[in-house]
């Protein structure tokens, strides 16, 4: 959804609601497999030379379970306050806007989703596997104990390099 800086009057609050769709490819190479639904609410107010956008994004994404790698749904609502201006004000965290005065809120919604979905999602009832064919899962204590017993470099001690 594009909004235009000059469409808003000084100190007037405007509410917007919109749905966003994103292609699966837009989340590559992140851990997000896709977005099932995404609904946003924006409260927009022009204050002096700034445009303030209070954004609330409710979404459901598809992501892999960290234990089973099965696809699962994750729903969440994230809120963000954005400030825009014609001029860059990096000290105050204010983004400049395009020369044509437009702001594509979908870009900010996309970034908010990517940054707010945790990496360690697990399905209800899923448990950490203990091992399988060609691998095993160790706790940090077990790993440290195993490392103290032997090192992959121990085999080098038996080599006679003088021959």
């Amino acid at each position: 959804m594009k909004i235009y800086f000059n469409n808003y009057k000084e100190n007037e609050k405007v509410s917007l609601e919109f749905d966003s769709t994103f292609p699966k490819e837009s989340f590559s190479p992140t851990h997000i497999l896709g977005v099932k639904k995404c609904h946003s609410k924006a409260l927009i107010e022009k204050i002096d030379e700034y445009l303030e956008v209070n954004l609330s994004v409710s979404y459901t994404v598809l992501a892999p379970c960290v234990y089973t790698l099965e696809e699962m749904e994750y729903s969440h609502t994230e809120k963000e306050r954005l400030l825009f201006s014609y001029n860059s004000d990096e000290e105050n965290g204010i983004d400049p806007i395009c020369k044509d005065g437009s702001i594509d809120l979908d870009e900010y919604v996309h970034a908010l989703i990517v940054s707010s979905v945790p990496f360690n999602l697990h399905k209800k009832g899923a448990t950490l596997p203990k091992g399988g064919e060609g691998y095993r899962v160790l706790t940090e204590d077990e790993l440290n104990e195993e490392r103290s017993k032997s090192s992959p470099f121990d085999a080098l001690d038996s080599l006679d390099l003088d021959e």
Side-chain angles (χ1 to χ4, degrees):
M1 157 146 267
K2 273 197 173 189
I3 60 173
Y4 294 89
F5 195 90
N6 292 329
N7 287 359
Y8 299 94
K9 296 177 185 167
E10 189 77 26
N11 297 321
E12 180 182 39
K13 292 184 179 185
V14 177
S15 293
L16 292 175
E17 289 193 33
F18 59 97
D19 293 320
S20 302
T21 57
F22 304 102
K24 289 181 181 183
E25 299 80 35
S26 71
F27 292 99
S28 178
T30 69
H31 61 294
I32 299 171
L33 303 174
V35 175
K36 257 186 120 172
K37 65 179 179 177
C38 177
H39 183 76
S40 302
K41 296 177 183 178
L43 181 61
I44 303 167
E45 183 178 10
K46 191 174 188 179
I47 305 167
D48 298 325
E49 72 270 12
Y50 302 112
L51 192 66
E52 178 182 34
V53 180
N54 287 297
L55 196 59
S56 175
V57 180
S58 299
Y59 60 85
T60 301
V61 296
L62 300 173
C65 169
V66 294
Y67 293 156
T68 64
L69 298 180
E70 294 173 4
E71 193 173 280
M72 62 173 284
E73 289 185 7
Y74 173 74
S75 297
H76 185 65
T77 299
E78 192 71 28
K79 295 180 180 184
E80 185 73 28
R81 177 178 174 250
L82 306 168
L83 287 175
F84 299 94
S85 173
Y86 276 112
N87 304 310
S88 180
D89 187 357
E90 292 178 14
E91 282 183 24
N92 295 318
I94 298 170
D95 291 330
I97 60 174
C98 305
K99 290 180 181 172
D100 66 354
S102 69
I103 302 163
D104 187 358
L105 290 180
D106 283 332
E107 292 177 10
Y108 292 90
V109 168
H110 185 278
L112 194 60
I113 292 171
V114 170
S115 65
S116 65
V117 175
F119 285 93
N120 61 343
L121 296 173
H122 51 274
K123 280 184 156 182
K124 202 175 249 185
T127 58
L128 181 66
K130 295 294 178 195
E133 188 176 328
Y135 76 94
R136 59 196 169 119
V137 179
L138 302 175
T139 66
E140 192 170 343
D141 291 337
E142 291 169 333
L143 179 62
N144 289 335
E145 182 181 322
E146 203 164 288
R147 282 183 178 162
S148 68
K149 287 181 185 175
S150 66
S151 163
F153 299 105
D154 287 346
L156 297 176
D157 291 338
S158 62
L159 287 177
D160 187 13
L161 299 175
D162 294 331
E163 289 180 10

